[in-house]
């Protein structure tokens, strides 16, 4: 088989995957302005996320907190996670645009990439409105993380563009599958989580297909380089999800809260749970190497 024939077959495989994703997108997509009951009152006793997903759940500090503080903490935590999501979605839109720049617009891959960007715009607006309704202040990742991300979004290509996308989406997916079913979680978080889970499942399939396609003929050196980039992205994403300012803003001792979060075995277990499928995929692609495993372990992803 000629090189041209191999390239055509691989392109056709991506095209087949994205054709199915386009069909799914046409059949099952949501308008948050219609689907979410934005004007419905928020019950005072409803959490921002399932208590078990709170960073402080299972600590002495959690036991000492009043129920009102716990509710407020979870609302600020989900707000921080959503705002980290907005920051990351803005970055991934740029990564996808750069990857698809000057590609054939007749291909399903190109069309789904733009469909994903449209989804991400709606998701960011949806998260922003949720934070507004819950009266959550602005939370941003650390300045160093924001600046490092500028390098990634400017230089990332092929699997290096889609890897960080998959990592962020996989972590959120497991969390939000619980939030959307939480009877004591505020209704707008349940609704926005459901929308995000359904639509991001297509994005994750797209990212996995792009990563496998990009690495099909990659040598050992390239895989190791990509493995390190993936692990580095995972490290910064995991650390940026809940801002330490959350604790101060709900009236807790920030230093003590951060210390208890750092040693919270329940939080570590929940984090590992949210990364099981991701780690399996990375291992299958040869991207979970001995050199990068300590990085994932440092943020409790394995």
């Amino acid at each position: 088989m000629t090189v041209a024939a191999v390239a055509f077959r691989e392109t056709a495989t991506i095209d087949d995957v994205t054709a199915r994703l386009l069909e799914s997108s046409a059949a099952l997509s949501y308008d948050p302005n219609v689907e979410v009951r934005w004007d419905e009152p928020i019950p005072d006793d409803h959490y921002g996320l399932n208590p078990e997903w709170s960073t402080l759940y299972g600590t002495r500090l959690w036991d000492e907190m009043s129920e009102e503080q716990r509710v407020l903490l979870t609302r600020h935590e989900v707000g921080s996670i959503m705002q980290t999501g907005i920051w990351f979605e803005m970055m991934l839109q740029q990564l996808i645009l750069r990857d698809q720049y000057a590609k054939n617009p007749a291909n399903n891959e190109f069309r789904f990439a733009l469909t994903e960007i449209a989804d991400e715009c709606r998701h960011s607006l949806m998260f922003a409105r949720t934070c507004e309704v819950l009266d959550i202040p602005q939370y941003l990742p650390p300045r160093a993380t924001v600046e490092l991300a500028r390098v990634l979004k400017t230089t990332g290509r092929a699997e290096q563009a889609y890897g960080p996308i998959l990592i962020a989406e996989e972590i959120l997916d497991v969390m939000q599958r619980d939030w959307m079913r939480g009877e004591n979680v505020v209704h707008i978080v349940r609704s926005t989580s459901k929308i995000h889970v359904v639509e991001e499942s297509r994005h994750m399939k797209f990212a996995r297909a792009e990563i496998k396609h990009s690495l099909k003929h990659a040598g050992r050196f390239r895989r190791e380089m990509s493995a390190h980039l993936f692990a580095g992205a995972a490290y910064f994403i995991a650390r940026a999800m809940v801002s330490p300012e959350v604790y101060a803003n709900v009236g807790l001792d920030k230093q003590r809260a951060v210390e208890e979060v750092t040693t919270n075995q329940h939080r570590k277990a929940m984090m590992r749970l949210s990364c099981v499928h991701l780690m399996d995929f990375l291992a299958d692609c040869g991207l979970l190497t001995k050199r990068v495993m300590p990085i994932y372990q440092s943020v409790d992803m394995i």
Side-chain angles (χ1 to χ4, degrees):
M1 186 176 291
T2 65
V3 172
V6 171
F8 174 79
R9 187 175 68 179
E10 292 176 2
T11 302
T13 300
I14 287 288
D15 210 51
D16 290 343
V17 170
T18 48
R20 292 193 295 271
L21 294 176
L22 282 167
E23 291 175 2
S24 173
S25 181
L28 191 60
S29 290
Y30 297 96
D31 179 354
N33 291 321
V34 175
E35 298 293 336
V36 182
R37 304 188 308 274
W38 297 107
D39 296 329
E40 184 175 309
I42 305 295
D44 291 339
D45 61 345
H46 280 201
Y47 295 94
L49 44 79
N50 304 63
E52 294 81 6
W53 285 103
S54 173
T55 56
L56 282 172
Y57 185 87
T59 65
R60 288 177 299 169
L61 183 53
W62 177 270
D63 292 337
E64 295 171 12
M65 293 165 61
S66 67
E67 186 63 12
E68 291 76 14
Q69 280 183 306
R70 293 172 181 172
V71 168
L72 185 60
L73 171 64
T74 59
R75 293 186 184 187
H76 278 252
E77 286 176 319
V78 81
S80 178
I81 292 169
M82 286 184 173
Q83 291 185 49
T84 298
I86 293 170
W87 161 74
F88 197 80
E89 285 175 345
M90 293 180 71
M91 182 169 63
L92 74 83
Q93 289 174 57
Q94 295 177 67
L95 286 166
I96 294 173
L97 281 172
R98 288 184 65 255
D99 183 65
Q100 295 297 320
Y101 179 71
K103 286 189 176 180
N104 186 355
N107 286 345
N108 289 323
E109 177 190 7
F110 181 88
R111 291 169 56 212
F112 184 76
L114 294 191
T115 300
E116 177 169 344
I117 290 170
D119 288 346
E120 298 297 2
C121 285
R122 291 199 313 277
H123 295 169
S124 292
L125 289 168
M126 176 176 75
F127 290 156
R129 190 169 180 181
T130 301
C131 291
E132 179 187 12
V133 172
L134 294 179
D135 194 26
I136 305 301
Q138 183 183 26
Y139 291 113
L140 280 174
R143 192 70 205 175
T145 301
V146 172
E147 297 306 321
L148 281 171
R150 293 186 192 277
V151 178
L152 173 62
K153 71 183 181 64
T154 304
T155 62
R157 62 180 181 84
E159 76 277 1
Q160 296 175 357
Y162 291 96
I165 293 170
L166 181 65
I167 289 165
E169 291 173 348
E170 287 273 10
I171 294 173
L172 271 177
D173 182 68
V174 176
M175 295 181 180
Q176 290 186 314
R177 285 179 186 275
D178 269 1
W179 302 350
M180 62 189 266
R181 293 188 291 263
E183 294 182 359
N184 60 346
V185 174
V186 295
H187 65 274
I188 56 173
V189 173
R190 294 200 307 269
S191 298
T192 55
S193 295
K194 176 184 175 181
I195 292 171
H196 202 246
V197 163
V198 170
E199 297 185 349
E200 290 293 338
S201 67
R202 294 191 288 264
H203 302 177
M204 290 189 289
K205 288 184 177 72
F206 182 50
R208 290 189 199 105
E210 289 285 351
I211 292 167
K212 287 185 174 181
H213 176 69
S214 298
L215 290 172
K216 189 152 190 161
H217 302 293
R220 183 176 177 180
F221 177 76
R222 177 173 168 181
R223 286 183 187 273
E224 191 64 45
M225 291 293 292
S226 292
H228 275 83
L229 185 141
F230 282 29
Y235 176 86
F236 287 108
I237 291 167
R239 288 177 61 88
M241 292 184 73
V242 176
S243 169
E245 297 307 314
V246 160
Y247 309 116
N249 287 341
V250 300
L252 299 175
D253 183 317
K254 177 180 167 181
Q255 182 177 348
R256 181 189 171 188
V258 170
E259 289 172 354
E260 295 213 18
V261 168
T262 303
T263 59
N264 185 359
Q265 295 304 312
H266 175 81
R267 183 196 64 83
K268 294 174 187 286
M270 297 296 278
M271 190 67 180
R272 286 192 291 270
L273 174 66
S274 68
C275 297
V276 170
H277 297 304
L278 172 63
M279 294 300 123
D280 287 344
F281 175 79
L282 295 180
D284 183 56
C285 292
L287 296 170
L288 192 59
T289 65
K290 290 182 179 179
R291 290 185 177 90
V292 302
M293 285 187 69
I295 301 174
Y296 290 111
Q297 290 170 338
S298 72
V299 286
D300 307 307
M301 294 178 71
I302 53 176

